[in-house]
Amino acid sequence: MNLILLGPPGAGKGTQGHLLHERYTIPKISTGDILRAAVGAGTALGQQAKSYMERGALVPDDVMIGIVQERLGQADTKHGFILDGFPRTAAQAEALGQMLHRLGRPLDYVLSVEVPEEELLRRLAKRREIEGRHDDTDKTIRHRLEVYQHETAPLIEYYRRGGLLRPISGLGTMETVFARIIAVVDPQ
Ligand code: AMP
């Protein structure tokens, strides 16, 4: 099962990706987690990514495409994967399409997790308190939502045209949202 979780910051992509990973034992590939690990380890990638992340800006496409290309080349992705936080731009979506075509592993679904903006702001403020994420400050939160609207939201239409889009309401408990996802990917 080859999936993309698409949605604004705070929609619950990470949580739902984790639940999918547990249920289907396929890797969840979170580009945000990969970048945060690189920043924490102080690698060259981390040094390059840090300032973008702190501002709530996107790390350049070529860097991100390289990361995902390498990750999808690893054997554990052969029976499926869940992409969380990638693609975020049209260029990333195009590059991913080419990669998956070359690998002969087409996408099954793009799950678009939908949450109204007021609720996103509430959740991101809460996450800042609980997780202490450095990029969850008022200014960066606002900027990340703007970047999402401008760069990433157009991918909804892109995947709708491709027939892959499945809208999922992200409201309610994580179990409720997960049940909606299962109803789409694994209907009984
Ligand atoms: P996330 O954990 O998905 O919210 O990502 C945290 C931050 O990492 C984002 O605000 C970006 O700065 C960076 N990032 C993660 N994924 C991408 C991506 N696909 N393209 C560009 N930047 C990304």
Side-chain angles (χ1 to χ4, degrees):
M1 188 153 39
N2 302 331
L3 303 174
I4 291 177
L5 281 165
L6 190 65
K13 302 185 298 295
T15 303
Q16 297 303 323
H18 180 70
L19 294 172
L20 283 162
H21 157 72
E22 288 193 322
R23 175 137 172 171
Y24 296 107
T25 50
I26 50 177
K28 176 184 89 143
I29 303 173
S30 158
T31 47
D33 285 351
I34 292 171
L35 292 173
R36 278 183 289 278
V39 171
T43 63
L45 168 65
Q47 285 171 22
Q48 196 182 359
K50 194 166 188 261
S51 68
Y52 294 99
M53 295 175 77
E54 282 172 349
R55 282 183 282 130
L58 294 182
V59 175
D61 285 332
D62 55 340
V63 175
M64 298 312 303
I65 291 164
I67 289 173
V68 171
Q69 181 143 21
E70 196 202 306
R71 186 65 188 84
L72 287 175
Q74 292 171 22
D76 65 333
T77 65
K78 261 207 199 114
H79 303 294
F81 55 81
I82 305 142
L83 281 170
D84 160 16
F86 185 95
R88 260 180 159 92
T89 66
Q92 292 179 15
E94 292 285 346
L96 176 67
Q98 287 167 16
M99 246 181 258
L100 295 177
H101 182 74
R102 269 200 307 276
L103 292 166
R105 285 149 56 186
L107 288 170
D108 293 298
Y109 302 108
V110 175
L111 304 166
S112 171
V113 185
E114 300 177 342
V115 175
E117 182 152 320
E118 319 85 70
E119 174 65 13
L120 293 175
L121 289 167
R122 264 197 297 276
R123 290 185 187 182
L124 289 165
K126 199 159 147 196
R127 182 164 80 187
R128 168 178 51 199
E129 279 167 32
I130 295 169
E131 294 177 20
R133 255 181 67 164
H134 300 307
D135 57 349
D136 281 346
T137 66
D138 285 339
K139 195 163 158 224
T140 49
I141 285 172
R142 231 175 304 119
H143 188 54
R144 281 161 67 216
L145 289 172
E146 278 165 21
V147 168
Y148 173 79
Q149 284 307 334
H150 195 250
E151 303 284 342
T152 310
L155 298 183
I156 294 174
E157 198 42 46
Y158 174 86
Y159 286 118
R160 198 196 319 274
R161 280 199 304 274
L164 293 172
L165 194 82
R166 299 294 183 276
I168 305 285
S169 165
L171 289 175
T173 64
M174 64 183 202
E175 292 85 3
T176 305
V177 177
F178 191 55
R180 295 182 187 124
I181 289 178
I182 294 305
V184 166
V185 303
D186 204 356
Q188 296 297 337

